């Protein structure tokens, strides 16, 4: 499949499926979760009944939409890690049924749905839905970036120093001190929303200039990286190499609202070693 295969009707169908999942499987549980409907997958990482119900719906609908494409869902991979192998050699949907689950489980925004379409490791389409506001972002390779039907271009905040969303919570002490000593004086540090479905739009909409990601799992980043790059921003590995969904064991990713801001931040972090 090529970019030209991502027709307006396909975009519309994906949007309809995502809105159905939000309305039928996610929002009915918002601020209504029982303790028995929240499970811990790892320390500080939970899954809810909404994640599971939304992934089942999304998987069923997307598989019917493109029968030739595999589906790689976050919860399916948690149950069977070998599902990740589907990313390497075929057309596949990549599904995060509820991004920002910790926020959702706490009864607060932001949270959303992320869907991407990749072919042999390269993302060719991406869709991001904010479940509460209804904001819908879409993109395809070479086709630009769109929010609620209007084409968008990434814009910087215009702030000096630039605004960088960096969490120090999950860093070891050495890395935390590097951020506080060397990066904080050059940037205004703000907390991350713990929701990639919110972080990537912030880089396009002039809210943040930089975002740094340590874990780069495909369901969190495939759609957002393509959306940001197609909007004229830049998301790439710290060495400048492109993000690929089949390189899921790699860590670290920098997103910026412009290539110039990306270059400046990457040069600073490279100098820190």
């Amino acid at each position: 499949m090529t970019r030209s295969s991502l027709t307006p009707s396909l975009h519309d169908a994906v949007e309809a499926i995502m809105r159905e999942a939000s309305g039928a499987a996610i929002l009915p549980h918002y601020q209504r979760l029982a303790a028995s409907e929240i499970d811990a997958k790892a320390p500080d990482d939970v899954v809810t009944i909404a994640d599971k119900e939304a992934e089942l719906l999304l998987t069923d609908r997307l598989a019917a939409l493109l029968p030739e494409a595999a589906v790689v869902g976050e919860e399916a991979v948690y149950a069977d890690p070998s599902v990740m192998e589907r990313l390497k050699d075929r057309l596949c949907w990549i599904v995060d049924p509820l991004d920002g689950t910790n926020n959702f489980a706490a009864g607060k925004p932001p949270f959303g749905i992320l869907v991407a379409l990749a072919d042999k490791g390269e993302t060719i389409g991406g869709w991001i839905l904010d479940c509460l506001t209804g904001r819908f972002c879409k993109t395809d390779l070479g086709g630009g970036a769109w929010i609620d039907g209007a084409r968008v271009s990434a814009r910087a905040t215009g702030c000096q120093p630039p605004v960088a969303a960096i969490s120090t919570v999950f860093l070891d002490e050495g890395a935390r001190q590097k951020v506080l000593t060397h990066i904080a004086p050059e940037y205004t540090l703000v907390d991350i929303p713990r929701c990639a479905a919110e972080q990537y739009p912030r880089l396009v909409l002039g809210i943040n200039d930089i975002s740094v990601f340590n874990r780069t799992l495909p369901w969190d980043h495939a759609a957002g990286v393509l959306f940001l790059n197609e909007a004229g921003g830049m998301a790439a590995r710290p060495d400048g190499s492109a993000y690929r969904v089949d390189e899921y064991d790699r860590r670290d990713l920098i997103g910026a609202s412009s290539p110039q801001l990306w270059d400046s931040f990457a040069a600073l972090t490279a100098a820190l070693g």
Side-chain angles (χ1 to χ4, degrees):
M1 174 175 278
T2 63
R3 185 196 66 80
S4 60
S5 302
L6 274 68
T7 61
S9 61
L10 181 66
H11 278 288
D12 290 345
V14 174
E15 179 177 357
I17 290 167
M18 293 171 71
R19 291 193 184 278
E20 180 187 1
S22 177
I26 294 175
L27 292 179
H29 296 292
Y30 184 50
Q31 298 180 335
R32 297 181 179 88
L33 288 169
S36 61
E37 296 174 329
I38 306 172
D39 296 314
K41 294 198 297 187
D44 202 40
D45 186 13
V46 301
V47 61
T48 74
I49 188 174
D51 299 73
K52 297 172 184 177
E53 289 182 355
E55 184 161 318
L56 286 172
L57 190 155
L58 289 161
T59 298
D60 181 67
R61 301 289 194 273
L62 293 170
L65 185 61
L66 284 181
E68 68 271 29
V71 181
V72 175
E74 179 179 5
E75 304 314 323
V77 170
Y78 179 70
D80 179 5
S82 70
V83 171
M84 288 285 262
E85 295 296 313
R86 300 173 186 170
L87 294 167
K88 294 184 176 181
D89 60 1
R90 61 181 297 187
L91 187 70
C92 67
W93 295 106
I94 303 168
V95 176
D96 190 336
L98 178 51
D99 184 56
T101 300
N102 281 49
N103 298 333
F104 180 84
K108 64 181 184 180
F111 55 89
I113 300 172
L114 293 161
V115 172
L117 185 65
D119 192 14
K120 297 181 177 64
E122 181 181 33
T123 309
I124 59 174
W127 301 267
I128 306 171
L129 174 65
D130 183 311
C131 295
L132 284 178
T133 69
R135 181 188 65 203
F136 188 74
C137 307
K138 67 178 181 179
T139 185
D140 56 66
L141 187 62
W146 305 75
I147 297 179
D148 295 333
R151 188 161 186 166
V152 294
S153 296
R155 62 181 186 269
T157 65
C159 296
Q160 291 299 329
V163 178
I166 303 174
S167 175
T168 60
V169 173
F170 304 105
L171 299 177
D172 61 41
E173 186 57 29
R176 184 179 299 111
Q177 285 305 312
K178 283 184 179 181
V179 169
L180 297 177
T181 302
H182 300 286
I183 296 177
E186 306 297 327
Y187 293 87
T188 298
L189 299 188
V190 297
D191 203 4
I192 62 170
R194 297 200 66 181
C195 175
E198 174 65 17
Q199 280 185 276
Y200 282 103
R202 287 185 182 185
L203 291 169
V204 171
L205 293 171
I207 299 171
N208 292 339
D209 294 301
I210 298 288
S211 286
V212 177
F213 307 96
N214 181 241
R215 296 178 69 205
T216 62
L217 293 166
W219 44 82
D220 288 325
H221 297 283
V225 166
L226 183 61
F227 176 71
L228 178 57
N229 285 333
E230 286 293 326
M234 182 170 176
R237 300 291 187 182
D239 62 3
S241 60
Y243 177 81
R244 290 182 56 86
V245 301
D246 55 356
E247 296 176 342
Y248 43 78
D249 291 328
R250 293 184 66 180
R251 301 179 75 88
D252 299 325
L253 182 68
I254 300 169
S257 56
S258 74
Q260 295 77 17
L261 283 162
W262 193 97
D263 288 342
S264 297
F265 187 85
L268 175 60
T269 55
L272 299 180

